[in-house]
Amino acid sequence: LSEKELLTTFKREKIKFSGMQSSYNFLLVELEAQLEEDFIKKLGGIDRIAKVLLTKESTITEPALIELLSSTETGKITVGISSHGCRAFSTKKSALSLKRKLKEIGIKMNFVLPQSGTNRLNSAQVIFNKLTEVPNSELNIVKFEENFFLARTCQVQDIQAYELRDTRRPARDSAVGMLPPKLAQVMLNLVPDFTLSQPSVYDPFCGMGTLLQEGWLKGLHMVGSDKEESMVEASAENLDWLDSHFDLDGSIEPRVFLHDISDTLPEKYNGSFDAVVTEPYLGSPLNNPLSKDEISYRQEELKP
């Protein structure tokens, strides 16, 4: 899904690329031009963007890291190392060795280790330690097929902004469902490119309005409906809150109306939508796995 999201976003933004290679955890893409500084804000499914500095047929070793880090013009740096598809370099022993050798050439290094049991720093560690701000760095050692890549993280997902748009909204209801804003963003990014204008998108199960809010932030024309009046009111309340906390285009404020999608759509909306993006009704929340009979019953209940 993240790969599809990136491809449709590249097409929409007219970003030219070649040589995309993918594994389960990362994509390697060759771009014709540099990405804008906050490009990652447009993506929900990619949590980090890094620039490849070095490609080798053998593993990235300590001398290569020392050569890179010794070029800094300051005597104090903070560094974290994440490993992808290869043996973890960022162990405590490796960190102490690197720290000692950099100290010998006059550089004081603070080293950030991945959390126990992982080979990779989490987004919070990258943000808190300012590892995207030069001279600091998160260095990624990536093994793909027969090659090793050393890449420096330049953009990281703004987890605080997602948390604000999710848990700080006035209307929330876990029983109805909690579609995460970043997943809503991915879903909207899968809408194909429309060359003449921004697409008009309809969410017929708008609930708390998460898709409406993420679409508005993207500059899309959003319309939502729900058969529950309380949900229409919750969406409207959350959209009002969003408008007061973010710089939004008031001329495309989403429209929300009361409607049961099993009934005919009001005539004024016929033919007015380019895409439907929604999380439909999934049944009542579950605390335990269903039996086979319960699964059959649930399927019949959800078919309409």
Side-chain angles (χ1 to χ4, degrees):
L1 282 174
S2 300
E3 184 175 347
K4 294 289 185 185
E5 178 198 23
L6 186 64
L7 287 169
T8 55
T9 303
F10 277 169
K11 185 177 180 182
R12 188 177 298 111
E13 300 285 325
K14 298 184 171 48
I15 294 170
K16 294 182 179 179
F17 67 95
S18 60
M20 179 179 282
Q21 299 172 294
S22 64
S23 79
Y24 181 75
N25 289 318
F26 57 84
L27 292 162
L28 289 167
V29 186
E30 191 170 334
L31 300 172
E32 291 190 11
Q34 221 164 331
L35 295 173
E36 56 191 282
E37 285 185 11
D38 59 352
F39 181 76
I40 200 165
K41 289 183 178 179
K42 298 178 179 180
L43 303 167
I46 291 177
D47 75 348
R48 243 162 287 185
I49 297 174
K51 184 175 182 179
V52 173
L53 305 174
L54 179 66
T55 304
K56 292 181 69 179
E57 291 182 358
S58 56
T59 188
I60 307 295
T61 55
E62 195 175 273
L65 297 174
I66 291 170
E67 184 179 353
L68 173 68
L69 295 171
S70 63
S71 63
T72 179
E73 295 180 2
T74 180
K76 190 174 182 181
I77 57 175
T78 302
V79 176
I81 297 180
S82 294
S83 303
H84 308 261
C86 56
R87 183 179 62 83
F89 184 92
S90 47
T91 61
K92 193 170 184 179
K93 183 179 177 182
S94 303
L96 289 171
S97 174
L98 196 59
K99 192 171 185 174
R100 185 176 64 254
K101 290 176 181 177
L102 284 169
K103 189 176 181 180
E104 291 172 1
I105 57 176
I107 297 174
K108 185 178 180 182
M109 183 185 77
N110 177 36
F111 200 94
V112 183
L113 287 166
Q115 291 185 347
S116 178
T118 68
N119 293 340
R120 184 172 182 257
L121 301 178
N122 60 46
S123 296
Q125 289 178 295
V126 176
I127 294 168
F128 178 78
N129 292 286
K130 301 179 180 179
L131 297 185
T132 58
E133 299 178 18
V134 177
N136 301 334
S137 56
E138 180 197 22
L139 299 175
N140 300 273
I141 299 174
V142 180
K143 183 178 188 297
F144 185 78
E145 294 180 349
E146 301 304 317
N147 290 322
F148 289 83
F149 301 87
L150 180 63
R152 186 181 218 141
T153 298
C154 50
Q155 297 185 38
V156 62
Q157 207 169 54
D158 189 346
I159 54 177
Q160 292 169 316
Y162 283 120
E163 196 268 342
L164 177 68
R165 302 203 302 267
D166 188 6
T167 64
R168 305 293 178 88
R169 297 182 299 173
R172 300 180 82 241
D173 187 345
S174 58
V176 172
M178 305 292 271
L179 180 66
K182 65 171 68 177
L183 179 55
Q185 206 176 2
V186 171
M187 292 162 70
L188 289 162
N189 277 333
L190 295 175
V191 174
D193 181 38
F194 288 82
T195 54
L196 297 179
S197 65
Q198 288 281 39
S200 177
V201 179
Y202 178 43
D203 177 4
F205 299 86
C206 67
M208 298 283 120
T210 306
L211 279 158
L212 302 180
Q213 75 176 30
E214 294 305 310
W216 193 6
L217 286 163
K218 289 176 68 63
L220 303 175
H221 300 279
M222 300 295 299
V223 177
S225 69
D226 202 285
K227 72 173 186 177
E228 301 290 343
E229 191 169 353
S230 60
M231 294 296 95
V232 173
E233 291 171 354
S235 284
E237 186 179 2
N238 283 336
L239 290 169
D240 285 343
W241 174 87
L242 191 77
D243 193 23
S244 67
H245 285 76
F246 293 85
D247 184 19
L248 293 162
D249 182 354
S251 69
I252 59 166
E253 182 175 354
R255 289 168 288 160
V256 192
F257 64 100
L258 187 66
H259 179 65
D260 184 339
I261 194 60
S262 62
D263 296 333
T264 304
L265 200 65
E267 192 173 339
K268 68 176 180 178
Y269 290 115
N270 282 339
S272 62
F273 304 125
D274 299 301
V276 173
V277 179
T278 193
E279 180 185 52
Y281 176 62
L282 303 173
S284 56
L286 301 176
N287 295 318
N288 298 296
L290 298 174
S291 68
K292 287 186 176 181
D293 288 342
E294 288 171 328
I295 288 172
S296 297
Y297 176 79
R298 179 63 64 96
Q299 287 175 331
E300 289 305 312
E301 179 194 17
L302 293 176
K303 269 182 185 177

